[in-house]
Amino acid sequence: MKTIRKQISGDKFFQLMVTIILTVFFIIELYPMLYVVFCSISNPDAVASGEVLLWPVGITLQGYQKVFQYRDLWIGYGNTIFYTLAGTALNLAITLPCAYAMSRKELMGRNQLMLFFMITMYVSGGLIPTYLNVKSFGLLDSRWCMVILGAISVYNMIVARTFFANSIPDEIIEAARIDGCNDFRIFGKIILPLSKAITGVLVLYYGTGHWNAYFDAMIYLDDRKKFPLQLFLREILIQSKFAEEALTDSTVSAEELAYLAELSKNADLMKYCIIIVSTVPLMFIYPKLQKFFEKGVMIGSVKG
Amino acid sequence: MKKRKQILSVLLAAAMVTTMLGGCGNAQGTSGKSSTASSTSKSESTQNAVVESTVESNDDGTEDSVRISEETIEITLAGPASVTTNEWNESVQFAEYEKRLGIKINATAYDSEAWSSKLTLMLASDELPDILAGLTATTREDVYKYGQEGYLLDLSQYLDVMPNLTRIMEEYPEYARHITMENGAIYGISPFSVRIESWNLQDVYMSQTWLDNVGMDAPETLDELYEVLKAFKEQDANGNGDTDDEIPMLYSAYSCFPILWAYGIYSTDGKLHEMVDEDGNYMVMNVTENYRDYLRYIHKLYKEGLINEDAFVISSDEKDQLINNGKTGYVGNVTSIFLGLDNEGDYSKQKWFAVTGFTGTEYNSESVVVERERVGANFRVLVSADTKYPEEIAKLIDYLFTVEGAISASNGYEGLTFDFNDIEGYPVVDHTNYIGDYESSEAYRTRKATSRGAFNFYSINEGTIYDMLQNIDTDKLMEGECYKVAGANATKQLAWRKAVQKGVQFKKPLPSLSYGDDGAERATLYTDIVNYCATANVQFITGERDLDKDWDTYLEELEKMGLQRYIEIQQNAYDRLMGN
Amino acid sequence: MKTLKKRLVTSWQLYVLVLPAVIYIALFAYKPMYGILIAFKNFSIRKGVWGSAWVGFDNFKRLFNSYWFPVIMKNTLTLSALSLVLGFPTPIILALLLNEVKSIKFKNAVQTVSYAPHFISTVVMCGMLTLFLSPSTGVINKIIELFGGEAIFFLQEANLFKWVYELSNVWQGVGWSSIIYFAALSSVDKGLLEAAEIDGATRMQRIWHINLPEIVPTIVTMFILKCGQILSIGYEKVYLLQTDANISGSEIISTYVYKVGLEQADFSFSTATGLFNTVVNCVLLITANQLSKKVTDSGLF
């Protein structure tokens, strides 16, 4: 009796410590985003001189106004949503089956296959051969290029494989096999429903990757109607560099420099707004994905 | 058709002669003494207009440019976007080219950060557009390489249809040297400025208000500079009642130049101080006693708090803030000075004036100024070797070297995008009547009137404040309309006139070089050496390394890095360039 | 032999599941891989990869012969090692701690907020750091001065660079990196935990004996993968935080290659450096994998 009470008070102490640590952590982690929000509605001069710290200074919504005035923004949003949805769907369709099969000991030569995959994590052909390759498939300046490129990330596949290998008991598969299930059925009917947590992780990894991607679009797309959001946002940000570049440019007049400096000041303000504008949609989706992590309970019940 | 072409070429030849004459007039204006002021630009620009109207004149009396192609041809153009992103094709400038010159330009602008990759990929897949233009950041070295590999058109074959370019090359050998490669070919066009001399002054400024507040004259020697900075520090130089918030000198590569020059180091780089002496010997000054003494001086300023303590970690935003808030009295090359143009209060409050080289060392008895390059290092226009219209494009490029062409690229066309506005008796381009919905005249000019960045590589005085600055009386320079519109440039003109009076020596910076087969080796050597010099510079100034004790190790380390080999490569490249 | 054939036949469906991935990798990763030859050539765009002249190991020699090579190797390894020591365990600790929280709301709030900094772009993050660390106006130095200390020039001291870099990395990335551990923890058998509680195991004991073993395979996988990235630190953040004063502590392989590339676009040099990184990374990866096989009896291959 005494030990149990001791244990409970010990647990309470433990709980308290966890809460304190995580609350402090919460504040530390909240601060950068909060700071970005403050900066996005503050006078850029106040930001530059370090006055903005715990609250916005010289409140202005000009940054958001300018960002939303940017007419291409909505085209970008539309494209990004398409690329993210289609791209992530393709990613899952390729990664999950592959990772599952790679986790099975019955797969002969899986170490060799692993090597085949892993080499590509470290060795790549470089910009020019990769570009010529994409061109040879006729994918240049095509929306499908944005969906197909990066169809599988070997890194994510390995992460998923680890999950399958360790979280799904062999007994379940054995039992299913005895019941006459083939591998397709086992994967579709038994494994997938048990893999909500890893699917959630993959959606998060791949989805965010697509959402934030700009390099492929920058290299392979010419038609502005197909540009993703991030590419347009970068165009706004680049304006902050023109003034600095122009300082050493012989063809730039003083008036133009003043104008470029003005643009650069605006871009300084907008760079914070841009983070908010492009991140807010993701912030709404996370809590929904987090629920998948709780669903793991099912495995326990199956095991039992 | 053929006959019309013949007639056209006769007309072109006529135009060539007359523009050449006009060109000589311009050149005299720019290179001559400002006091002569033989002809105002007003008469010059009308002269030019007359020249063109003799070529072709419409019934309604408007003047037309020389048509380059009878039937409208379409050429493709690609380049990195600047300010505007997708608006190149919508500019008045390009629309007028189609109408006046018979050249329709179909432009694609790319993200300026993606441009170098894009260019590489265009080359690799052999799909160059007719023209590569804009702030392409293509170095002389790259251009030479691409040219030799057969990607680029050699414009030197078309010099006979490029009279204006030919004239400029004859007049300014440094420009001819720069764009003519070592094999005699011209693979592209670099920016070039024929603006007034004062434009060439580096942007280093001191506040007259601060000097007045501490009751001192503008310093000329290093000792005087030290005394002035000390006074800035100790007294309430900015007059806000606080004697402790002044930063006498805001450290930057530029604010150090006038001090550097005083030690006989004629460089305009913040890290590696390269120069060529009278005999054509290339030198790296970072290993000389001159530089060591220079560092002693700067170290003294730093130690005594006359330079901002955070000199080596401060961000450019923070610098701008310090200047805008009147916290510093001596600065170099910062955008906020120009911001002051809009913000009359701050700008005129500080009364910035341009600073030229100091004197008072054993290395240098005279004041020296190392000028800004008239020749832009990077190339702005490259033509594909596969283009169907080499001659037409050559003519288009030449057109951009006429007054009308240059103004069309910087401001558009009179009556369509601007009027000439009279300031103190000088015609200055004014867009006010045309800006429509654009938020400012500059926004209109860069987004609608012209395809900014694409073709504005030739900078002239006509139609700009520089014409006025060149000719206006000295006592009018710093007041009234002139000062209001010219701001920092007016102070530079004043400084330049004073410098000429004093007999200041003007020197040229090291021209840009190309290295051929040594390029790869040089790139790593340069990176190694600059990295080391940059760190050592900071360490000697802050006192982390001692100028007496650690100097020899510093020299030894530089030798180990292959400094001698680097100097050899640079010397060879320089000799090749001058041997042209 | 027969069993082998039989096994192949019975598991043909598994091969079908792998096939799409294999095809993609073959077409989009292996097909252009010939580009790696650039490392051994004096690459000319006109001549292409196959047509350019062979130069053997010249491009590698330029890297190894550089005065800065020992410095950039040391700095790269230091940053990586610090990231293994600091950046690797923190997400695991975070996941284990969060798993102990009873209130779902608090848990979700902490999770969501901890992902957020991941989305702050590197440029903005470095801007923030420069502001916060400023000796005159920065908040961190104001706090130091409040406690009677003297302002520290964080970005001027070469030996402080690694801390600035890595601590801010942890700050920005710990939440995001812990996602995979949250997911792994979700498959812990709740029944087992309850049984342990009844048996009188303390919370620490339950974490140590039940939760931790559950995520060990994930930890091992992540560790091995991380070992394979030791030399591949991206240039952007380091480059943005670099000042003239801290170069000797902040120049790493990728920033060095970037700087050389600014002087001359040199595909051969950057490819050669990339290949050198690959070789070192692979050696480390294989070592880590063998080590893990010995210690935990599981590895990637």
Side-chain angles (χ1 to χ4, degrees), chain B residues 50-309:
Chain B
V50 171
V51 166
E52 272 128 21
S53 66
T54 56
V55 179
E56 245 180 62
S57 183
N58 292 354
D59 295 337
D60 58 359
T62 57
E63 291 135 19
D64 245 346
S65 325
V66 191
R67 210 172 164 79
I68 289 173
S69 171
E70 209 46 45
E71 267 173 60
T72 301
I73 56 169
E74 191 171 329
I75 57 177
T76 52
L77 179 149
S82 49
V83 186
T84 54
T85 43
N86 54 342
E87 294 158 359
W88 272 3
N89 287 328
E90 288 148 39
S91 71
V92 176
Q93 180 196 352
F94 280 9
E96 287 300 303
Y97 285 180
E98 188 178 348
K99 251 188 261 169
R100 293 171 189 236
L101 311 176
I103 293 183
K104 179 173 166 38
I105 296 170
N106 188 359
T108 319
Y110 294 97
D111 181 329
S112 63
E113 289 194 348
W115 173 249
S116 65
S117 311
K118 274 281 179 190
L119 177 60
T120 307
L121 297 172
M122 281 178 190
L123 293 166
S125 55
D126 218 353
E127 283 172 346
L128 284 185
D130 293 317
I131 298 181
L132 300 165
L135 305 155
T136 55
T138 326
T139 60
R140 189 170 190 274
E141 171 108 42
D142 289 338
V143 171
Y144 193 20
K145 196 168 69 192
Y146 301 149
Q148 281 178 315
E149 289 179 340
Y151 285 111
L152 303 176
L153 183 73
D154 175 8
L155 289 167
S156 70
Q157 301 163 31
Y158 297 92
L159 279 179
D160 50 334
V161 296
M162 303 178 88
N164 294 293
L165 176 61
T166 311
R167 169 179 57 77
I168 288 163
M169 286 172 65
E170 277 163 9
E171 224 169 289
Y172 299 96
E174 74 264 37
Y175 187 60
R177 257 200 310 273
H178 180 71
I179 62 170
T180 312
M181 297 297 159
E182 279 76 343
N183 64 359
I186 297 176
Y187 293 122
I189 300 297
S190 276
F192 188 58
S193 158
V194 294
R195 285 190 181 142
I196 53 175
E197 271 91 344
S198 70
W199 179 87
N200 293 343
L201 290 184
Q202 304 287 351
D203 291 289
V204 192
Y205 304 93
M206 187 175 272
S207 165
Q208 186 60 49
T209 312
W210 281 40
L211 282 176
D212 294 344
N213 286 348
V214 299
M216 293 177 90
D217 288 330
E220 293 195 356
T221 66
L222 286 178
D223 292 339
E224 286 168 17
L225 176 67
Y226 174 73
E227 291 306 323
V228 163
L229 293 177
K230 230 175 142 78
F232 282 175
K233 168 116 185 133
E234 284 158 6
Q235 303 178 36
D236 180 21
N238 58 7
N240 67 350
D242 184 348
T243 54
D244 280 338
D245 68 338
E246 281 87 359
I247 295 170
M249 169 176 168
L250 190 62
Y251 182 89
S252 74
Y254 280 78
S255 59
C256 287
F257 284 161
I259 303 170
L260 204 56
W261 301 333
Y263 286 94
I265 303 168
Y266 307 129
S267 143
T268 52
D269 186 287
K271 296 170 183 173
L272 193 65
H273 305 296
E274 304 173 272
M275 60 185 255
V276 172
D277 69 7
E278 282 92 2
D279 306 323
N281 293 317
Y282 168 89
M283 295 179 294
V284 169
M285 298 302 284
N286 295 56
V287 294
T288 56
E289 280 303 308
N290 306 39
Y291 184 61
R292 192 176 178 181
D293 286 343
Y294 157 80
L295 286 175
R296 274 187 226 283
Y297 184 82
I298 301 280
H299 172 62
K300 185 173 74 174
L301 299 187
Y302 186 83
K303 207 176 56 193
E304 299 184 16
L306 305 180
I307 292 175
N308 49 322
E309 201 187 4

Side-chain angles (χ1 to χ4, degrees), chain C residues 56-111:
Chain C
F57 285 89
D58 278 9
N59 296 314
F60 294 88
K61 276 184 209 150
R62 271 170 57 215
L63 176 66
F64 300 148
N65 290 342
S66 159
Y67 173 88
W68 284 81
F69 181 68
V71 181
I72 60 178
M73 278 304 283
K74 189 186 127 224
N75 288 337
T76 311
L77 291 172
T78 311
L79 289 188
S80 276
L82 202 58
S83 129
L84 269 182
V85 174
L86 276 179
F88 189 72
T90 38
I92 301 171
I93 296 168
L94 172 63
L96 289 172
L97 280 182
L98 257 183
N99 199 47
E100 298 304 313
V101 173
K102 295 230 166 80
S103 154
I104 300 275
K105 266 192 185 158
F106 182 59
K107 192 171 169 177
N108 279 351
V110 175
Q111 273 186 359

Side-chain angles (χ1 to χ4, degrees), chain B residues 119-120 123-126 139 141-142 145-146 149-151 271 302 309-315 318 386 516-532 534-539 542 544 557 560-561, chain C residues 42-48 59 62-63 65-69 72 130-131 133-138 150-151 153-158 242-248 251 255-257 259-267 269:
Chain B
L119 177 60
T120 307
L123 293 166
S125 55
D126 218 353
T139 60
E141 171 108 42
D142 289 338
K145 196 168 69 192
Y146 301 149
E149 289 179 340
Y151 285 111
K271 296 170 183 173
Y302 186 83
E309 201 187 4
D310 54 5
F312 305 103
V313 289
I314 193 170
S315 69
E318 281 179 280
D386 298 331
D517 291 340
D518 293 334
E521 185 185 359
R522 185 221 166 241
T524 32
L525 280 175
Y526 175 82
T527 309
D528 289 0
I529 292 168
V530 165
N531 260 355
Y532 188 74
T535 315
N537 182 53
V538 177
Q539 288 169 332
T542 57
E544 196 184 328
E557 295 292 302
K560 272 191 227 157
M561 261 170 243
Chain C
N42 178 10
F43 181 65
S44 131
I45 299 181
R46 183 53 119 192
K47 291 178 192 149
N59 296 314
R62 271 170 57 215
L63 176 66
N65 290 342
S66 159
Y67 173 88
W68 284 81
F69 181 68
I72 60 178
T130 317
L131 269 179
L133 298 174
S134 159
S136 46
T137 57
E150 240 180 78
F153 286 54
F154 288 99
L155 293 174
Q156 193 163 319
E157 304 284 334
Q242 194 172 69
T243 64
D244 281 355
N246 67 22
I247 291 177
S248 60
E251 194 78 308
T255 54
Y256 182 77
V257 172
K259 282 186 185 172
V260 173
L262 284 182
E263 280 313 299
Q264 194 195 35
D266 189 340
F267 289 97
F269 185 64

Side-chain angles (χ1 to χ4, degrees), chain B residues 336-351:
Chain B
S336 50
I337 297 227
F338 292 98
L339 269 176
L341 283 174
D342 291 337
N343 188 350
E344 253 181 70
D346 277 339
Y347 185 75
S348 45
K349 224 166 40 196
Q350 297 299 333
K351 287 193 196 146

